[in-house]
Amino acid sequence: MPIYEYRCKDCETVFETFVSSVSDADNVVCKKCESKNVEKQISSFSSRMAGSSSGAPAGALSGCSSKSGFS
Ligand SMILES: [Zn+2]
């Protein structure tokens, strides 16, 4: 299940929420002030989360290539 990071434009709260569908993404509200004036954050956060849970394919690839370069 994808986790997205949102930032509330009203109170500057950054929060994470589960979004299982497009309609869910349209109904995200701030967890602090319940404003719908939120924007989805496109940041390294999501890739970092994916990396920690799935083994970071990109990091593993670069690590592998540098390792083979040494040996
Ligand atoms: Zn808010």
Side-chain angles (χ1 to χ4, degrees):
M1 189 178 294
I3 302 174
Y4 291 114
E5 186 178 35
Y6 283 81
R7 184 175 69 85
C8 175
K9 295 179 181 178
D10 286 350
C11 70
E12 299 294 319
T13 295
V14 176
F15 60 96
E16 300 141 37
T17 190
F18 294 107
V19 177
S20 55
S21 69
V22 174
S23 60
D24 271 1
D26 286 339
N27 291 320
V28 172
V29 297
C30 175
K31 292 187 175 179
K32 186 175 181 181
C33 70
E34 298 189 331
S35 169
K36 297 191 73 171
N37 192 19
V38 298
E39 64 179 4
K40 183 156 65 172
Q41 297 291 94
I42 307 297
S43 69
S44 59
F45 176 80
S46 57
S47 62
R48 203 168 71 231
M49 286 292 290
S52 63
S53 61
S54 68
L61 275 175
S62 64
C64 188
S65 63
S66 65
K67 193 175 182 180
S68 64
F70 274 117
S71 61

